[in-house]
Amino acid sequence: MAVLAVRVWPDPVLSRVAEPVTESAAARGLAADMLDTMYHAQGRGLAAPQVGVSLRVFVMDATWKEGTPAPQVFVNPVIVSRSDVMATGPEGCLSIPGITTAIARATAIRLRWTDLDGIGQEADLTGFDAICAQHEIDHLDGIVTLDRLSPEARAKAEAEYLA
Ligand code: ZN
């Protein structure tokens, strides 16, 4: 268990498409370190590329700040379907500290992944979980919030970030 350094944009690892995990159990140590790192950074979600590891793993805990920790680990996650209903809300990112950006996301998704025992899982996510999972899977595809903004909004966000 260890707190890892969080890579900040524009670190090139954040723009790389992450590789699939071939053996889930091998990701156990990484996932534990990622959860430590996420809690330490006061975050609710963290993807492996954010700690410099280009593998398809993310962790999430929507409720720990309210006093009920519920750590979840997603290996090789795939969005099977997404709702047509979209909502735009402010998103922060531990790799782009200090700013939030307004991002449109599907309000509900069906997610398929493998757990650390190598067992396939599938669930419908809504609310914060759905938005967070989409944000983290973007990281696995080398996409950050800035990439989802209009050119004008991106220029404004980058200026704010770099200021
Ligand atoms: Zn992020």
Side-chain angles (χ1 to χ4, degrees):
M1 305 270 279
V3 172
L4 307 173
V6 176
R7 302 296 184 92
V8 296
W9 187 83
D11 189 310
V13 73
L14 297 170
S15 301
R16 202 173 296 153
V17 177
E19 297 291 326
V21 173
T22 50
E23 199 195 334
S24 290
R28 202 174 287 278
L30 170 66
D33 288 349
M34 286 171 62
L35 283 164
D36 281 354
T37 305
M38 182 187 76
Y39 292 132
H40 182 260
Q42 304 287 309
R44 294 176 192 261
L46 188 73
Q50 294 183 273
V51 292
V53 178
S54 203
L55 286 173
R56 303 190 77 80
V57 180
F58 78 88
V59 297
M60 177 167 81
D61 188 335
T63 56
W64 74 273
K65 288 188 183 181
E66 285 72 51
T68 47
Q72 289 185 278
V73 178
F74 301 85
V75 177
N76 297 332
V78 175
I79 296 173
V80 182
S81 62
R82 42 184 106 216
S83 65
D84 294 331
V85 181
M86 307 279 285
T88 299
E91 288 183 26
C93 179
L94 294 176
S95 293
I96 314 177
I99 66 166
T100 58
T101 50
I103 308 290
R105 305 276 187 195
T107 57
I109 62 170
R110 184 156 187 85
L111 189 67
R112 187 178 291 159
W113 73 96
T114 304
D115 67 20
L116 289 173
D117 295 318
I119 297 167
Q121 304 284 346
E122 202 167 311
D124 292 309
L125 304 187
T126 57
F128 173 85
D129 288 2
I131 289 159
C132 183
Q134 290 172 83
H135 177 116
E136 303 310 334
I137 289 169
D138 269 0
H139 277 303
L140 306 185
D141 291 329
I143 296 166
V144 296
T145 51
L146 297 171
D147 299 321
R148 294 212 171 270
L149 300 176
S150 68
E152 300 75 30
R154 181 181 183 127
K156 193 162 165 275
E158 282 192 34
E160 190 188 346
Y161 174 66
L162 298 169

